Amino acid sequence: MNLHPALSSHDGLFDLLKVWAEWGWLRELDRSLTQFFAELDPHAEPLLLLACALASHQLGHGHVCLDLQATLEDPDFALSMPPEGDIVQQATLLPSAILVGVDLVQWQRSCQASTVLFQNAGAPLVMRGSVLYLRRYWDYEQRVARRLASRLAFEPADGALAEQLDRLFDASVPGSRTDWQKVACAMAAVGRFTLITGGPGTGKTTTVVRLLALLQERALQNGSSLRLSLAAPTGKAAARLTESIGGQIQSLPVSDQVKALIPHEVTTLHRLLGTRPGSRHFRHDASNPLPLDVLVVDEASMIDLEMMDALLNALPAHARILLLGDKDQLASVEAGAVLGDLCSNAEQAGYRADTLELLEQLTGAPVHDAALQPGDDALDQRIVMLRHSRRFAGDSGIGLLAQAVNRGDAPGARSIIRRVESGLASLRLKSEHDSAFERFALDGRDNAPGYRAYLQTIRDHRPVPDAPPKEWDAWAKEVLQAFDAFQILCAVRKGAWGVAAVNQRVATALHRAGLLPGDAGWYEGRPVLVTRNDYSLGLMNGDIGVALQVPDEELISQTRLRVVFARNDGSGELRYILPSRLSEVETVFAMTVHKSQGSEFNHCALLLPDALNPVLTKELIYTGITRAKNDFTLIEIRESVFEQAVERKVQRRSGLRLALADCMKAPN
């Protein structure tokens, strides 16, 4: 069968790629990279160059590689084609039309014939079976697999370990139920790599605090102390873990000496590794490893493949690393879903008999759960899933809804919403212009506040002009806490229901209601989200501040607009920054679900667009729901969008598990 004209020559292909880029189906970056490959190999077949363009574009969607077979089965999946728009008129230029007549063997041969493929040392492309990688991401994946494989062995356990575990974990868990926190702590104590996954309230932080106490106590008994470090991908996640840990250390049944040696502060991964401006590299690497013995990383679902490679590269060979995260949350924005890949068997556990025997010996109780199944994979022996949530009670609407969404049970999730379970509500809008949305944004519902509450705090609780600084600080803290009580989450960035449009719509509504002095530029009450780390200001990506009129430090009896942030070191202190110094911020009456990871809000509202979008999956819905501590509201125009999203699962193409299995088979 004859190939599509676009696949008959380089010129024909690049004409096609230009059109795709103009329509927004392909990034300009992808087209430029493909042009570069064509210059490296002028004889490269158009099918290879098409694969290059699609592989590069897939990185932008979080995929580490391009699966040629999967692409042939669903060609249009490989591009950024939004559901809206008249696709019918452009049907002849869809990937599904371009690839008519192409089979897997033909595509593989076209790729393998080029000098830009792996057969040539240092070639920029690598193919394994039907999967094509850009060389850099192949190298990331292989290095991560090798470094993880070197850490999977169990270490010897002495008799004292079981006694220490008994002291750190009380008997509050019923005898018929496994104490998975204790199991996780036991596993982490006998290995250099442990992954603990679980949903909100399952006790990941509690487990870590006890583990750090256990390890530090054992080290002191041997005449030394451990260098412990805690890190998270974002400043917001670091601040939350800092706050959580600080409240638990003092209640530990260990000596004051041990408590003093448990770190109280959490840093970001970029700060831990030492960012080099203008470079992808970090100050700490294999030649300059991190000076630590134990590293705990929270919110590991947000770690992409490149960051995981850098982290393991900088970790000393003897050091333990513990990853914490919810495997069911959204994966990282960048390429790779490391936590999801590693936890693919976490529900079933897949423990060997000797693993179960060791864990039962250390915890003093059988390890059992209805979902457990035996297995023999080396990685699975180092993973523990915490299965019982303490945040959401059995009758919690949020908990029930999150579980149903996580199962992909769309009818069950809808039924829970309609029953109006405790803490749950829904708002059905009639159209894009339904004023019910503005009313909700201002006043929330019942006892769950909207944005009026924090603005009233600004107005009604403002100190008198000559009040001492501590009163102004107390007021600013109160405003930040009041704003944190409610947050609108958007699934998408663009369109009528995207972040930009919703932020403007809410600001305008608040301004018309007389609650804001303006709705554009800088004005008192404007909440902002930091979108990039700024170490000179001590601000991290994800930090939220509010613009307030506060006393001017130089002009007596006058005020000046400054943006107030709570320091993300858990100290409770504030930082006042002039708006002119903030370049990487955006208004945050609404934020994307991705940006909300690592955050919690008393009342959270998830706003769904009126049409299905590629980003709408059960992971996104689940993540949005679990940002709410007490109240959750679903806002929608078409009910079917929610159901369709719950039935769709994020699919990140990766070969990490396969690479890890290969490493375990290879001779030492």
Side-chain angles (χ1 to χ4, degrees):
M1 181 181 292
N2 293 329
L3 295 179
H4 190 282
L7 299 178
S8 62
S9 67
H10 285 195
D11 288 343
L13 177 68
F14 281 106
D15 286 344
L16 173 68
L17 298 186
K18 182 180 179 181
V19 172
W20 283 357
E22 290 172 349
W23 287 347
W25 291 6
L26 193 75
R27 300 178 302 176
E28 188 60 38
L29 168 67
D30 310 321
R31 190 168 74 96
S32 298
L33 184 63
T34 307
Q35 184 71 56
F36 173 70
F37 286 145
E39 293 170 0
L40 287 179
D41 181 9
H43 303 292
E45 296 187 21
L47 266 175
L48 166 69
L49 298 177
L50 175 63
C52 293
L54 296 180
S56 175
H57 192 69
Q58 288 289 276
L59 289 173
H61 286 277
H63 303 281
V64 173
C65 52
L66 176 75
D67 187 327
L68 301 184
Q69 180 62 54
T71 302
L72 289 172
E73 292 171 359
D74 187 6
D76 299 339
F77 172 83
L79 293 184
S80 297
M81 290 181 295
E84 63 272 10
D86 189 0
I87 299 295
V88 176
Q89 293 182 3
Q90 304 154 353
T92 58
L93 294 182
L94 289 171
S96 51
I98 303 300
L99 288 170
V100 168
V102 176
D103 60 37
L104 178 61
V105 173
Q106 181 184 13
W107 205 352
Q108 287 173 308
R109 286 175 179 170
S110 295
C111 293
Q112 292 162 352
S114 174
T115 57
V116 298
L117 211 61
F118 183 59
Q119 296 97 317
N120 181 26
L125 294 174
V126 178
M127 176 170 279
R128 174 172 180 163
S130 67
V131 178
L132 184 70
Y133 288 82
L134 297 187
R135 176 61 178 267
R136 181 151 55 93
Y137 285 87
W138 166 267
D139 289 342
Y140 290 152
E141 195 169 85
Q142 294 299 308
R143 288 197 298 261
V144 168
R146 287 196 301 271
R147 288 165 181 154
L148 287 179
S150 69
R151 295 177 170 276
L152 297 183
F154 279 84
E155 297 175 353
D158 57 49
L161 180 55
E163 297 177 5
Q164 289 172 300
L165 284 167
D166 284 342
R167 180 160 41 84
L168 284 165
F169 290 87
D170 59 31
S172 59
V173 176
S176 61
R177 200 169 75 187
T178 296
D179 186 344
W180 287 103
Q181 293 183 20
K182 190 175 184 180
V183 169
C185 195
M187 182 175 287
V190 291
R192 289 181 297 138
F193 172 77
T194 308
L195 197 162
I196 300 176
T197 185
T202 52
K204 297 186 290 293
T205 304
T206 300
T207 304
V208 164
V209 172
R210 280 159 174 70
L211 172 65
L212 295 179
L214 173 72
L215 295 176
Q216 198 65 274
E217 185 176 63
R218 290 171 65 81
L220 289 172
Q221 290 170 350
N222 292 325
S224 63
S225 63
L226 296 174
R227 297 166 298 176
L228 312 175
S229 289
L230 301 167
T234 67
K236 189 73 173 179
R240 272 193 58 212
L241 184 59
T242 296
E243 182 180 354
S244 180
I245 284 179
Q248 296 192 33
I249 291 177
Q250 294 309 313
S251 64
L252 289 170
V254 296
S255 68
D256 289 341
Q257 183 184 15
V258 172
K259 292 177 183 177
L261 290 172
I262 299 175
H264 291 63
E265 294 185 7
V266 184
T267 186
T268 63
L269 290 176
H270 284 85
R271 180 169 284 177
L272 174 76
L273 293 173
T275 302
R276 289 180 173 175
S279 169
R280 302 182 81 101
H281 303 291
F282 296 95
R283 184 165 53 86
H284 288 290
D285 54 22
S287 61
N288 180 31
L290 292 163
L292 51 80
D293 303 302
V294 179
L295 174 62
V296 175
V297 184
D298 194 21
E299 296 289 353
S301 63
M302 301 168 68
I303 302 177
D304 60 87
L305 184 64
E306 182 178 3
M307 175 56 78
M308 183 60 73
D309 175 56
L311 193 61
L312 294 176
N313 184 39
L315 198 66
H318 75 278
R320 302 176 194 269
I321 180 170
L322 180 66
L323 301 181
L324 305 176
D326 186 343
K327 68 179 181 61
D328 298 311
Q329 278 192 29
L330 282 170
S332 61
V333 175
E334 304 298 329
V338 176
L339 188 77
D341 287 342
L342 299 181
C343 290
S344 58
N345 297 331
E347 296 273 356
Q348 297 78 29
Y351 295 147
R352 298 189 301 256
D354 60 320
T355 300
L356 288 172
E357 183 179 354
L358 173 62
L359 294 175
E360 291 173 6
Q361 174 189 339
L362 292 176
T363 61
V367 176
H368 59 81
D369 188 273
L372 263 58
Q373 297 179 11
D376 193 41
D377 186 274
L379 173 64
D380 292 339
Q381 313 311 305
R382 304 299 317 164
I383 297 174
V384 177
M385 179 176 168
L386 305 181
R387 299 164 188 267
H388 307 295
S389 176
R390 292 163 174 79
R391 179 192 299 178
F392 302 129
D395 61 348
S396 161
I398 297 174
L400 293 172
L401 181 60
Q403 292 170 20
V405 168
N406 211 2
R407 294 193 303 268
D409 179 7
R414 177 60 70 184
S415 175
I416 292 168
I417 293 172
R418 286 176 175 158
R419 291 203 307 263
V420 193
E421 295 281 353
S422 173
L424 277 187
S426 63
L427 174 62
R428 178 78 181 275
L429 302 179
K430 299 175 182 178
S431 69
E432 178 182 329
H433 306 290
D434 192 336
S435 60
F437 175 73
E438 280 81 359
R439 291 195 297 273
F440 173 81
L442 266 65
D443 296 315
R445 59 178 177 80
D446 300 330
N447 296 320
Y451 286 126
R452 184 189 298 272
Y454 94 94
L455 292 169
Q456 287 179 329
T457 300
I458 294 176
R459 183 189 63 196
D460 299 342
H461 298 183
R462 187 191 305 274
V464 296
D466 58 350
K470 65 179 183 180
E471 290 190 22
W472 286 95
D473 284 348
W475 171 67
K477 288 180 183 179
E478 186 181 3
V479 171
L480 290 175
Q481 290 172 356
F483 179 77
D484 236 9
F486 174 59
Q487 182 64 58
I488 296 173
L489 302 181
C490 294
V492 295
R493 292 198 63 84
K494 299 179 181 179
W497 303 108
V499 166
V502 172
N503 270 313
Q504 186 58 56
R505 185 171 175 177
V506 173
T508 300
L510 292 170
H511 177 54
R512 287 175 177 169
L515 296 169
L516 285 179
D519 62 357
W522 284 103
Y523 48 84
E524 185 174 46
R526 181 190 177 191
V528 293
L529 175 77
V530 177
T531 58
R532 181 177 297 178
N533 294 344
D534 188 331
Y535 295 104
S536 65
L537 295 177
L539 297 177
M540 299 291 110
N541 184 7
D543 286 353
I544 292 177
V546 176
L548 296 174
Q549 289 284 354
V550 295
D552 193 290
E553 296 174 354
E554 300 176 356
L555 301 175
I556 300 175
S557 300
Q558 293 192 31
T559 61
R560 192 172 187 179
L561 192 67
R562 294 181 185 269
V563 185
V564 185
F565 294 89
R567 291 185 181 273
N568 52 33
D569 57 6
S571 65
E573 296 181 3
L574 300 177
R575 183 180 286 106
Y576 295 86
I577 299 175
L578 288 170
S580 59
R581 301 187 65 191
L582 297 171
S583 57
E584 303 292 341
V585 296
E586 58 187 32
T587 302
V588 69
F589 290 115
M591 69 169 72
T592 62
V593 176
H594 266 107
K595 283 288 187 182
S596 74
Q597 287 183 272
S599 300
E600 289 181 348
F601 307 95
N602 290 335
H603 178 202
C604 184
L606 177 60
L607 175 59
L608 297 183
D610 57 357
L612 190 64
N613 186 288
V615 304
L616 287 170
T617 62
K618 76 180 183 71
E619 288 84 358
L620 182 136
I621 302 295
Y622 170 83
T623 302
I625 293 168
T626 54
R627 297 313 89 203
K629 290 193 289 187
N630 301 316
D631 294 280
F632 173 78
T633 303
L634 177 67
I635 307 176
E636 53 189 342
I637 296 180
R638 290 178 51 225
E639 286 191 351
S640 61
V641 173
F642 175 80
E643 274 80 1
Q644 289 173 302
V646 170
E647 292 172 350
R648 298 170 74 223
K649 180 177 174 58
V650 166
Q651 302 210 353
R652 289 278 180 99
R653 306 214 193 284
S654 157
L656 183 56
R657 289 282 307 212
L658 184 58
L660 190 54
D662 288 345
C663 289
M664 299 305 298
K665 294 175 186 175
N668 295 327

